[in-house]
Amino acid sequence: MKNSSLKVMFIMATVILLIPVIAMLLTAEVRWSLGDFLVAAILLYGNAFLAHWMLGKITSTRGRLIAVGSLLVVLILIWMELAVGVFGTPLAGS
C-alpha cells in the first residue's frame, strides 16, 4: 500500500473529528472535553493505521474485507460503549 492511502485514511479520521467541533460551535448540546477528543483521535487514527497495515499484509480481497470489516465493528462497539454504555462496563460514558 502506498503512503497516500494512509494519508487519505488520516484525512477521513480528521474530518470525523471535526464533526463534534462544528457541532460545539453551533449548539450547546454537544460538549466534548479535551479528553473526549484525545480518546476519539486515538481510536480513529489507530484504526486507520491498523487498517492500512492489514491491507498491506493481506492479499486476498475476501480476507481484506473480513479484516477491515471486523476492525470497523470493534471500533463502533467501543465507540458506542464509551458514548452510552451499551454493555455496562466501567468505561461507559453515562
Side-chain angles (χ1 to χ4, degrees):
M1 285 252 124
K2 295 179 183 178
N3 283 338
S4 63
S5 64
L6 183 61
K7 288 178 187 177
V8 169
M9 289 181 195
F10 278 5
I11 289 170
M12 290 171 49
T14 303
V15 168
I16 293 171
L17 279 174
L18 285 174
I19 293 170
V21 172
I22 294 168
M24 287 173 60
L25 294 173
L26 298 175
T27 180
E29 294 178 11
V30 179
R31 291 173 292 186
W32 279 32
S33 67
L34 179 61
D36 294 327
F37 281 103
L38 287 175
V39 169
I42 290 168
L43 284 172
L44 291 171
Y45 291 123
N47 274 302
F49 178 76
L50 282 174
H52 181 323
W53 180 76
M54 285 181 183
L55 292 173
K57 295 289 181 185
I58 301 170
T59 57
S60 73
T61 302
R62 183 174 183 213
R64 286 178 168 195
L65 287 173
I66 291 170
V68 174
S70 300
L71 187 63
L72 288 174
V73 167
V74 170
L75 169 68
I76 291 168
L77 289 174
I78 291 172
W79 197 291
M80 287 175 14
E81 178 61 22
L82 291 173
V84 294
V86 174
F87 305 111
T89 67
L91 297 175
S94 60

